[in-house]
Amino acid sequence: MPSGNAEQVRIKGQPHRWAKGESGNPSGRKNKHDCLLDCIKEELEKKEPNGLTKEQMVASALVQMASRGNIKAIGILLEYTTPKPVQALDVNSTGKLEIVWRYEAEGKGNDASNGF
């Protein structure tokens, strides 16, 4: 039979350590993704001796790569700088289906409609 405080043995007939449905760790373990993301954000916010943050230096390098024709860099820049279209379906009183594209950043004025 094990001895010491490190291992606990449940004796038949005695209740469990926690009630049924109760967790021994209600807060849970911190998500590793959040921890890594926090570490990356902290690192990007650090200033270098030239006065720029690492985030600014990465952005500058990305723009330079895109200006030299790097397709992946161009794609990343477009993804982060152009508004995403939101598709809305509208059935009007005549029963005609209309698809309206609106851009998130603009909101109005830049609608493109295609009627079917």
Side-chain angles (χ1 to χ4, degrees), residues 71-113:
I71 298 299
K72 284 202 179 244
I74 293 170
I76 291 169
L77 284 178
L78 288 174
E79 184 178 332
Y80 282 94
T81 58
T82 56
K84 306 279 186 270
V86 178
Q87 181 179 357
L89 297 176
D90 182 28
V91 179
N92 56 26
S93 60
T94 63
K96 183 178 176 184
L97 177 65
E98 197 172 301
I99 299 176
V100 180
W101 293 91
R102 289 193 173 84
Y103 292 90
E104 290 176 354
E106 307 299 339
K108 59 181 179 180
N110 288 339
D111 295 351
S113 300

Short mmCIF file of all heavy atoms in Angstrom, two decimals, residues 71-113:
data_model
loop_
_atom_site.label_atom_id
_atom_site.label_comp_id
_atom_site.label_asym_id
_atom_site.label_seq_id
_atom_site.Cartn_x
_atom_site.Cartn_y
_atom_site.Cartn_z
N ILE A 71 5.13 38.06 -54.39
CA ILE A 71 3.69 37.82 -54.49
C ILE A 71 3.07 37.56 -53.11
O ILE A 71 1.98 38.05 -52.81
CB ILE A 71 3.39 36.64 -55.44
CG1 ILE A 71 3.88 36.96 -56.85
CG2 ILE A 71 1.92 36.29 -55.46
CD1 ILE A 71 3.23 38.15 -57.49
N LYS A 72 3.75 36.78 -52.27
CA LYS A 72 3.21 36.50 -50.93
C LYS A 72 3.08 37.79 -50.12
O LYS A 72 2.09 38.00 -49.42
CB LYS A 72 4.07 35.49 -50.19
CG LYS A 72 3.87 34.09 -50.68
CD LYS A 72 4.31 33.11 -49.61
CE LYS A 72 4.07 31.71 -50.11
NZ LYS A 72 3.11 30.99 -49.37
N ALA A 73 4.10 38.66 -50.19
CA ALA A 73 4.06 39.93 -49.47
C ALA A 73 2.93 40.81 -49.99
O ALA A 73 2.22 41.46 -49.21
CB ALA A 73 5.40 40.64 -49.58
N ILE A 74 2.74 40.81 -51.30
CA ILE A 74 1.65 41.59 -51.89
C ILE A 74 0.31 41.07 -51.39
O ILE A 74 -0.57 41.85 -51.01
CB ILE A 74 1.71 41.54 -53.44
CG1 ILE A 74 2.95 42.28 -53.95
CG2 ILE A 74 0.44 42.12 -54.06
CD1 ILE A 74 3.24 42.08 -55.42
N GLY A 75 0.16 39.75 -51.35
CA GLY A 75 -1.08 39.15 -50.86
C GLY A 75 -1.37 39.51 -49.41
O GLY A 75 -2.50 39.83 -49.04
N ILE A 76 -0.33 39.47 -48.58
CA ILE A 76 -0.50 39.82 -47.16
C ILE A 76 -0.91 41.28 -47.03
O ILE A 76 -1.82 41.62 -46.26
CB ILE A 76 0.79 39.53 -46.37
CG1 ILE A 76 1.01 38.02 -46.29
CG2 ILE A 76 0.73 40.13 -44.97
CD1 ILE A 76 2.37 37.61 -45.76
N LEU A 77 -0.25 42.17 -47.76
CA LEU A 77 -0.61 43.59 -47.70
C LEU A 77 -2.04 43.83 -48.15
O LEU A 77 -2.78 44.58 -47.52
CB LEU A 77 0.35 44.42 -48.55
CG LEU A 77 1.73 44.67 -47.97
CD1 LEU A 77 2.59 45.46 -48.94
CD2 LEU A 77 1.63 45.40 -46.65
N LEU A 78 -2.44 43.18 -49.24
CA LEU A 78 -3.82 43.36 -49.71
C LEU A 78 -4.82 42.82 -48.70
O LEU A 78 -5.88 43.42 -48.48
CB LEU A 78 -4.00 42.67 -51.06
CG LEU A 78 -3.34 43.35 -52.25
CD1 LEU A 78 -3.47 42.50 -53.50
CD2 LEU A 78 -3.94 44.73 -52.47
N GLU A 79 -4.49 41.70 -48.09
CA GLU A 79 -5.39 41.09 -47.11
C GLU A 79 -5.62 42.00 -45.90
O GLU A 79 -6.72 42.10 -45.38
CB GLU A 79 -4.82 39.76 -46.65
CG GLU A 79 -5.73 39.01 -45.71
CD GLU A 79 -5.15 37.66 -45.31
OE1 GLU A 79 -4.38 37.08 -46.08
OE2 GLU A 79 -5.47 37.22 -44.20
N TYR A 80 -4.57 42.69 -45.48
CA TYR A 80 -4.68 43.53 -44.29
C TYR A 80 -5.05 44.98 -44.56
O TYR A 80 -5.38 45.71 -43.64
CB TYR A 80 -3.37 43.48 -43.49
CG TYR A 80 -3.24 42.21 -42.69
CD1 TYR A 80 -2.57 41.11 -43.19
CD2 TYR A 80 -3.83 42.10 -41.43
CE1 TYR A 80 -2.47 39.94 -42.48
CE2 TYR A 80 -3.74 40.93 -40.70
CZ TYR A 80 -3.06 39.85 -41.23
OH TYR A 80 -2.97 38.70 -40.51
N THR A 81 -4.97 45.42 -45.80
CA THR A 81 -5.24 46.83 -46.07
C THR A 81 -6.51 47.10 -46.86
O THR A 81 -6.98 48.23 -46.88
CB THR A 81 -4.05 47.47 -46.84
OG1 THR A 81 -3.86 46.75 -48.06
CG2 THR A 81 -2.79 47.45 -46.01
N THR A 82 -7.07 46.09 -47.52
CA THR A 82 -8.30 46.32 -48.28
C THR A 82 -9.48 45.77 -47.49
O THR A 82 -9.37 44.73 -46.83
CB THR A 82 -8.25 45.63 -49.66
OG1 THR A 82 -7.98 44.25 -49.49
CG2 THR A 82 -7.19 46.25 -50.54
N PRO A 83 -10.60 46.45 -47.55
CA PRO A 83 -11.77 45.98 -46.79
C PRO A 83 -12.34 44.69 -47.38
O PRO A 83 -12.26 44.45 -48.59
CB PRO A 83 -12.77 47.13 -46.92
CG PRO A 83 -12.34 47.88 -48.13
CD PRO A 83 -10.86 47.69 -48.27
N LYS A 84 -12.88 43.87 -46.52
CA LYS A 84 -13.47 42.60 -46.94
C LYS A 84 -14.92 42.85 -47.37
O LYS A 84 -15.67 43.52 -46.67
CB LYS A 84 -13.47 41.59 -45.80
CG LYS A 84 -12.11 41.37 -45.17
CD LYS A 84 -11.31 40.40 -45.99
CE LYS A 84 -10.03 40.04 -45.33
NZ LYS A 84 -8.92 40.87 -45.65
N PRO A 85 -15.34 42.31 -48.51
CA PRO A 85 -16.73 42.47 -48.92
C PRO A 85 -17.65 41.59 -48.07
O PRO A 85 -17.28 40.49 -47.68
CB PRO A 85 -16.75 42.02 -50.37
CG PRO A 85 -15.58 41.12 -50.49
CD PRO A 85 -14.56 41.58 -49.50
N VAL A 86 -18.81 42.13 -47.76
CA VAL A 86 -19.82 41.38 -47.02
C VAL A 86 -20.98 41.14 -47.97
O VAL A 86 -21.51 42.08 -48.56
CB VAL A 86 -20.30 42.17 -45.79
CG1 VAL A 86 -21.38 41.42 -45.05
CG2 VAL A 86 -19.13 42.47 -44.87
N GLN A 87 -21.36 39.90 -48.16
CA GLN A 87 -22.42 39.57 -49.10
C GLN A 87 -23.75 39.55 -48.37
O GLN A 87 -23.89 38.94 -47.32
CB GLN A 87 -22.16 38.21 -49.73
CG GLN A 87 -23.21 37.81 -50.73
CD GLN A 87 -22.91 36.46 -51.34
OE1 GLN A 87 -21.89 35.86 -51.05
NE2 GLN A 87 -23.79 35.99 -52.18
N ALA A 88 -24.72 40.22 -48.92
CA ALA A 88 -26.06 40.22 -48.36
C ALA A 88 -27.04 39.80 -49.45
O ALA A 88 -26.93 40.24 -50.59
CB ALA A 88 -26.42 41.62 -47.85
N LEU A 89 -27.99 38.95 -49.11
CA LEU A 89 -29.02 38.54 -50.05
C LEU A 89 -30.29 39.30 -49.72
O LEU A 89 -30.68 39.41 -48.57
CB LEU A 89 -29.28 37.04 -49.96
CG LEU A 89 -28.11 36.13 -50.32
CD1 LEU A 89 -28.50 34.68 -50.08
CD2 LEU A 89 -27.69 36.34 -51.75
N ASP A 90 -30.94 39.82 -50.74
CA ASP A 90 -32.15 40.59 -50.53
C ASP A 90 -33.20 40.10 -51.53
O ASP A 90 -32.98 40.07 -52.73
CB ASP A 90 -31.87 42.08 -50.74
CG ASP A 90 -33.07 42.94 -50.48
OD1 ASP A 90 -33.93 42.53 -49.66
OD2 ASP A 90 -33.17 44.02 -51.09
N VAL A 91 -34.34 39.69 -51.01
CA VAL A 91 -35.46 39.33 -51.87
C VAL A 91 -36.49 40.45 -51.73
O VAL A 91 -37.06 40.66 -50.67
CB VAL A 91 -36.07 37.97 -51.46
CG1 VAL A 91 -37.25 37.63 -52.35
CG2 VAL A 91 -35.02 36.88 -51.51
N ASN A 92 -36.68 41.20 -52.81
CA ASN A 92 -37.62 42.32 -52.74
C ASN A 92 -39.05 41.84 -52.98
O ASN A 92 -39.30 40.66 -53.20
CB ASN A 92 -37.20 43.44 -53.72
CG ASN A 92 -37.08 42.94 -55.14
OD1 ASN A 92 -37.72 41.97 -55.52
ND2 ASN A 92 -36.25 43.61 -55.93
N SER A 93 -39.97 42.76 -52.96
CA SER A 93 -41.39 42.42 -53.06
C SER A 93 -41.77 41.77 -54.39
O SER A 93 -42.77 41.08 -54.49
CB SER A 93 -42.24 43.67 -52.84
OG SER A 93 -41.94 44.63 -53.82
N THR A 94 -40.98 41.98 -55.44
CA THR A 94 -41.28 41.37 -56.74
C THR A 94 -40.78 39.93 -56.81
O THR A 94 -41.04 39.24 -57.79
CB THR A 94 -40.63 42.18 -57.89
OG1 THR A 94 -39.21 42.13 -57.72
CG2 THR A 94 -41.12 43.60 -57.91
N GLY A 95 -40.07 39.48 -55.80
CA GLY A 95 -39.56 38.12 -55.77
C GLY A 95 -38.21 37.98 -56.45
O GLY A 95 -37.68 36.90 -56.59
N LYS A 96 -37.65 39.10 -56.87
CA LYS A 96 -36.35 39.09 -57.54
C LYS A 96 -35.25 39.02 -56.48
O LYS A 96 -35.23 39.77 -55.53
CB LYS A 96 -36.21 40.36 -58.37
CG LYS A 96 -34.94 40.43 -59.17
CD LYS A 96 -34.92 41.72 -59.99
CE LYS A 96 -33.61 41.83 -60.73
NZ LYS A 96 -33.52 43.10 -61.45
N LEU A 97 -34.34 38.07 -56.66
CA LEU A 97 -33.22 37.91 -55.73
C LEU A 97 -32.11 38.85 -56.14
O LEU A 97 -31.69 38.90 -57.29
CB LEU A 97 -32.70 36.46 -55.75
CG LEU A 97 -31.50 36.16 -54.88
CD1 LEU A 97 -31.85 36.33 -53.41
CD2 LEU A 97 -31.01 34.75 -55.13
N GLU A 98 -31.62 39.62 -55.17
CA GLU A 98 -30.57 40.57 -55.45
C GLU A 98 -29.40 40.33 -54.48
O GLU A 98 -29.62 40.18 -53.29
CB GLU A 98 -31.12 41.99 -55.26
CG GLU A 98 -30.28 43.06 -55.88
CD GLU A 98 -30.99 44.40 -55.82
OE1 GLU A 98 -32.11 44.52 -56.35
OE2 GLU A 98 -30.42 45.31 -55.22
N ILE A 99 -28.21 40.23 -55.02
CA ILE A 99 -27.02 40.07 -54.17
C ILE A 99 -26.33 41.42 -54.10
O ILE A 99 -26.00 42.03 -55.11
CB ILE A 99 -26.07 39.01 -54.74
CG1 ILE A 99 -26.77 37.66 -54.80
CG2 ILE A 99 -24.80 38.92 -53.90
CD1 ILE A 99 -25.97 36.56 -55.44
N VAL A 100 -26.12 41.89 -52.88
CA VAL A 100 -25.51 43.20 -52.66
C VAL A 100 -24.17 43.00 -51.96
O VAL A 100 -24.10 42.33 -50.94
CB VAL A 100 -26.43 44.10 -51.80
CG1 VAL A 100 -25.79 45.45 -51.57
CG2 VAL A 100 -27.80 44.24 -52.44
N TRP A 101 -23.12 43.57 -52.53
CA TRP A 101 -21.79 43.50 -51.90
C TRP A 101 -21.52 44.84 -51.24
O TRP A 101 -21.59 45.88 -51.86
CB TRP A 101 -20.72 43.24 -52.95
CG TRP A 101 -20.82 41.89 -53.58
CD1 TRP A 101 -21.52 41.56 -54.70
CD2 TRP A 101 -20.25 40.69 -53.10
NE1 TRP A 101 -21.39 40.23 -54.96
CE2 TRP A 101 -20.61 39.67 -53.99
CE3 TRP A 101 -19.45 40.36 -52.01
CZ2 TRP A 101 -20.21 38.35 -53.82
CZ3 TRP A 101 -19.04 39.06 -51.86
CH2 TRP A 101 -19.42 38.07 -52.75
N ARG A 102 -21.22 44.80 -49.96
CA ARG A 102 -20.84 46.01 -49.24
C ARG A 102 -19.47 45.78 -48.63
O ARG A 102 -19.17 44.69 -48.18
CB ARG A 102 -21.84 46.32 -48.13
CG ARG A 102 -23.16 46.81 -48.64
CD ARG A 102 -23.99 47.39 -47.50
NE ARG A 102 -25.18 48.01 -48.01
CZ ARG A 102 -26.31 47.36 -48.27
NH1 ARG A 102 -26.38 46.09 -48.05
NH2 ARG A 102 -27.35 48.00 -48.75
N TYR A 103 -18.68 46.81 -48.60
CA TYR A 103 -17.35 46.70 -48.02
C TYR A 103 -17.41 47.18 -46.57
O TYR A 103 -17.98 48.22 -46.28
CB TYR A 103 -16.33 47.49 -48.83
CG TYR A 103 -16.11 46.86 -50.18
CD1 TYR A 103 -16.87 47.22 -51.28
CD2 TYR A 103 -15.17 45.85 -50.32
CE1 TYR A 103 -16.68 46.59 -52.50
CE2 TYR A 103 -14.98 45.23 -51.54
CZ TYR A 103 -15.73 45.61 -52.62
OH TYR A 103 -15.54 44.98 -53.82
N GLU A 104 -16.81 46.40 -45.67
CA GLU A 104 -16.89 46.68 -44.24
C GLU A 104 -16.40 48.08 -43.90
O GLU A 104 -17.02 48.79 -43.14
CB GLU A 104 -16.06 45.66 -43.46
CG GLU A 104 -16.65 44.28 -43.47
CD GLU A 104 -15.77 43.27 -42.78
OE1 GLU A 104 -14.64 43.61 -42.39
OE2 GLU A 104 -16.21 42.13 -42.64
N ALA A 105 -15.26 48.49 -44.43
CA ALA A 105 -14.67 49.76 -44.05
C ALA A 105 -15.46 50.93 -44.59
O ALA A 105 -15.55 51.97 -43.96
CB ALA A 105 -13.23 49.84 -44.54
N GLU A 106 -16.06 50.80 -45.77
CA GLU A 106 -16.76 51.90 -46.40
C GLU A 106 -18.18 52.05 -45.88
O GLU A 106 -18.62 53.12 -45.55
CB GLU A 106 -16.78 51.71 -47.92
CG GLU A 106 -15.42 51.48 -48.55
CD GLU A 106 -14.46 52.64 -48.34
OE1 GLU A 106 -14.92 53.75 -48.07
OE2 GLU A 106 -13.25 52.41 -48.45
N GLY A 107 -18.91 50.94 -45.84
CA GLY A 107 -20.26 50.96 -45.31
C GLY A 107 -21.31 51.39 -46.32
O GLY A 107 -22.32 50.76 -46.46
N LYS A 108 -21.10 52.47 -47.03
CA LYS A 108 -22.10 52.92 -47.99
C LYS A 108 -21.40 53.60 -49.16
O LYS A 108 -20.27 54.04 -49.06
CB LYS A 108 -23.10 53.87 -47.36
CG LYS A 108 -22.48 55.11 -46.76
CD LYS A 108 -23.53 55.97 -46.13
CE LYS A 108 -22.87 57.20 -45.50
NZ LYS A 108 -23.80 58.08 -44.89
N GLY A 109 -22.11 53.69 -50.26
CA GLY A 109 -21.56 54.36 -51.43
C GLY A 109 -20.80 53.42 -52.36
O GLY A 109 -20.67 53.73 -53.52
N ASN A 110 -20.31 52.32 -51.88
CA ASN A 110 -19.54 51.40 -52.71
C ASN A 110 -20.28 50.08 -52.90
O ASN A 110 -19.68 49.03 -52.85
CB ASN A 110 -18.15 51.13 -52.12
CG ASN A 110 -17.25 52.33 -52.26
OD1 ASN A 110 -17.47 53.18 -53.09
ND2 ASN A 110 -16.24 52.40 -51.40
N ASP A 111 -21.58 50.13 -53.08
CA ASP A 111 -22.37 48.90 -53.28
C ASP A 111 -22.31 48.49 -54.73
O ASP A 111 -22.37 49.31 -55.63
CB ASP A 111 -23.84 49.13 -52.91
CG ASP A 111 -24.03 49.43 -51.43
OD1 ASP A 111 -23.05 49.29 -50.69
OD2 ASP A 111 -25.15 49.82 -51.05
N ALA A 112 -22.18 47.22 -54.94
CA ALA A 112 -22.26 46.66 -56.30
C ALA A 112 -23.39 45.64 -56.27
O ALA A 112 -23.39 44.74 -55.47
CB ALA A 112 -20.94 46.00 -56.69
N SER A 113 -24.37 45.80 -57.13
CA SER A 113 -25.54 44.90 -57.12
C SER A 113 -25.60 44.09 -58.39
O SER A 113 -25.32 44.60 -59.47
CB SER A 113 -26.83 45.72 -56.99
OG SER A 113 -26.81 46.45 -55.80
#
